[in-house]
Amino acid sequence: MEADPRSLAHHAALDARLVAAARGIRLLEAVSWPESEQALFLGAWRVGRIHLPDHQYPRGDHAERRRELQAVFDAADPDDPLGRYLRSTADSWITTTHLLDSLGTPAITEHSARLFGRPAEVLPGGGPTSLEAARHFIDVADAMDQELREVEPEYVLPAETVQAELQAAVSAFFTDHVVRVELDDSLIAKAAASATRIRLRTNTGFSEYDRNQLLVHEAFVHSLTGINGREQPHLKSLARGSPRSTATQEGLATFAELISGAMDIERMKRISLRIVAIEMAIQGAGFVDVFRHFLEAGQSPVDSFTSTQRVFRGAPLEGGSAFTKDAVYLRGLLGVHTFFRWCLRHHQLGRARQLFAGKFALEDVFSLEPAFASGAVAPPRYLPPWMQRANGLAGNLAFSLFANKIRLDHVEADDLVLGL
């Protein structure tokens, strides 16, 4: 099947306009706080005082940018797969500009929820909510905490060691592209990745799990899909993605941790605690209440502040509002896991590989099927190691499909004794 040359040229030009219009939108940079806020808060906390952060968010005029994004939306053909992709992506960026206009006000929750969802939303397939899933993982982690402490080695790798090891692995993998691994003393999260650079937080320690998670999550998903997006012949927006693709991209990166054996239960607990904290904030908990929530869950004061900041970036600190981005992790993970299982059941693992051709949302892989078939969207240049080993992935998913039929609440200990 060949693409219509006129339609392809029209939508490629619109995609270029979309990329230009969205280039100056830096959502996470706009909502992040300086490291000094952490030092001030924790310094006061240690002596029994409360010093709430007082960050002033940047104000910008997004009206012209919004008009251009709306023009792209209006000009894209809703009956064409490329047009539908562009309309959805432009609408996502328009919502982002409204969120930026509402920084520091309760309205941030509405716009954030449109982009990233809420913890109380039902997971794919009509399952439980993200909030219920989060509480389940927290309970499991808490029940296993002491047992795991006795068997897991505890040692800390300095950031410089992790940087060197990741750089060696990344350079060996991306043979035709350069991705730099750098230390960044201004980074709040432990890591951040783009198509050309992976940044690690300076002055922090990393566990072996952290190191492995960073490789498969940041390098072999976030950087990889960014590079593959840059290699696209027509849709250059796939190099950066958009807020609407965040759930799939974070879900894919977290799934990569899981399938590679890099996901530990404490990582699941940290993700889950943030989801619970978002719901707490929406329901009225203030900054200090949420900070105490993380402390009581066993996090250090520094990690508790960092986690609380993620919930309240861009939102008023008195409660009733939240930045809901971290709600995407479990929803995205379960969505991607369900997608891979669907691909296996329907003998379409080739479609699963298409997910790595750029920064897609899950629905794009289905809606852009004609574009993949015509070559308008190119296949991925790189695939992560676990996706290259399709037999191993298929075996894991096949076991998962069958194991889901066994209900543990009906299993007794005697049932687990295997007869000879």
Side-chain angles (χ1 to χ4, degrees):
M1 179 193 303
E2 292 186 4
D4 179 347
R6 288 176 298 179
S7 176
L8 182 57
H10 172 67
H11 288 108
L14 288 178
D15 184 76
R17 289 174 61 184
L18 184 148
V19 170
R23 184 169 291 121
I25 302 176
R26 302 288 180 183
L27 176 58
L28 295 185
E29 289 181 17
V31 300
S32 294
W33 300 352
E35 191 176 12
S36 58
E37 294 287 5
Q38 175 179 294
L40 289 170
F41 178 87
L42 293 179
W45 184 266
R46 292 187 188 100
V47 297
R49 293 189 293 107
I50 293 175
H51 176 91
L52 286 178
D54 186 24
H55 181 60
Q56 300 301 309
Y57 295 101
R59 296 296 175 196
D61 184 358
H62 300 98
E64 183 175 347
R65 196 183 307 277
R66 201 152 40 228
R67 281 193 293 270
E68 174 65 358
L69 290 166
Q70 186 64 51
V72 170
F73 179 95
D74 294 338
D77 182 358
D79 296 323
D80 185 286
L82 299 179
R84 288 194 294 273
Y85 160 79
L86 288 171
R87 285 167 68 90
S88 297
T89 304
D91 184 63
S92 173
W93 284 118
I94 290 170
T95 300
T96 305
T97 66
H98 288 301
L99 190 156
L100 290 170
D101 288 341
S102 69
L103 290 180
T105 75
I108 186 179
T109 308
E110 174 189 352
H111 302 304
S112 179
R114 279 195 63 193
L115 295 174
F116 308 120
R118 294 174 182 246
E121 292 176 358
V122 173
L123 291 166
T129 65
S130 292
L131 183 62
E132 290 169 333
R135 287 173 172 157
H136 164 77
F137 288 120
I138 292 169
D139 288 344
V140 171
D142 287 344
M144 299 179 68
D145 183 61
Q146 185 56 44
E147 180 181 354
L148 291 176
R149 286 180 186 276
E150 295 173 359
V151 298
E152 288 283 354
E154 291 190 9
Y155 61 89
V156 176
L157 301 171
E160 292 77 9
T161 298
V162 174
Q163 176 200 18
E165 293 180 353
L166 289 183
Q167 185 66 74
V170 165
S171 298
F173 182 82
F174 294 113
T175 53
D176 295 329
H177 296 79
V178 176
V179 178
R180 302 187 311 276
V181 182
E182 303 174 349
L183 298 179
D184 186 341
D185 58 9
S186 66
L187 200 61
I188 295 295
K190 278 201 168 183
S194 70
T196 59
R197 185 171 62 147
I198 298 171
R199 292 179 294 151
L200 305 180
R201 190 170 75 202
T202 314
N203 301 323
T204 190
F206 295 85
S207 69
E208 185 177 2
Y209 274 113
D210 288 333
R211 178 189 58 194
N212 296 338
Q213 287 161 9
L214 291 170
L215 181 62
V216 300
H217 184 119
E218 304 293 349
F220 293 163
V221 172
H222 290 324
S223 293
L224 180 147
T225 55
I227 290 172
N228 287 341
R230 287 187 167 198
E231 295 294 313
Q232 286 297 328
H234 304 291
L235 296 182
K236 298 300 183 182
S237 59
L238 288 171
R240 182 181 178 189
S242 67
R244 65 178 282 270
S245 66
T246 300
T248 298
Q249 290 302 303
E250 295 298 354
L252 184 59
T254 310
F255 178 81
E257 297 178 34
L258 193 64
I259 202 75
S260 302
M263 172 72 76
D264 63 317
I265 191 64
E266 286 303 314
R267 164 79 162 149
M268 290 295 292
K269 181 179 178 180
R270 289 194 299 273
I271 291 171
S272 299
L273 285 170
R274 294 174 197 159
I275 293 171
V276 172
I278 290 170
E279 185 64 19
M280 288 175 60
I282 291 174
Q283 296 303 322
F287 186 92
V288 173
D289 299 316
V290 172
F291 177 74
R292 288 194 175 107
H293 155 76
F294 287 112
L295 283 178
E296 291 166 0
Q299 291 193 173
S300 69
V302 170
D303 288 342
S304 295
F305 179 90
T306 301
S307 297
T308 308
Q309 181 247 339
R310 293 174 70 105
V311 174
F312 283 94
R313 46 188 166 172
L317 303 187
E318 61 268 21
S321 308
F323 184 66
T324 66
K325 177 183 176 289
D326 281 354
V328 305
Y329 284 88
L330 281 184
R331 180 164 59 87
L333 170 60
L334 290 163
V336 167
H337 189 265
T338 301
F339 167 74
F340 277 108
R341 291 166 61 214
W342 182 94
C343 289
L344 178 71
R345 173 169 285 176
H346 292 86
H347 310 290
Q348 295 193 33
L349 282 179
R351 192 188 293 271
R353 287 189 285 273
Q354 292 174 346
L355 192 58
F356 296 91
K359 293 190 177 295
F360 292 102
L362 272 180
E363 57 266 27
D364 297 331
V365 179
F366 293 94
S367 65
L368 289 174
E369 182 176 5
F372 276 105
S374 70
V377 176
R381 165 66 181 81
Y382 295 100
L383 288 171
W386 57 268
M387 193 69 215
Q388 295 174 23
R389 299 188 292 270
N391 285 340
L393 174 64
N396 187 296
L397 294 172
F399 185 83
S400 175
L401 278 171
F402 185 81
N404 284 345
K405 298 179 181 180
I406 301 174
R407 295 182 56 187
L408 284 180
D409 52 354
H410 290 172
V411 176
E412 300 294 339
D414 290 346
D415 298 327
L416 301 177
V417 178
L418 302 180
L420 298 179

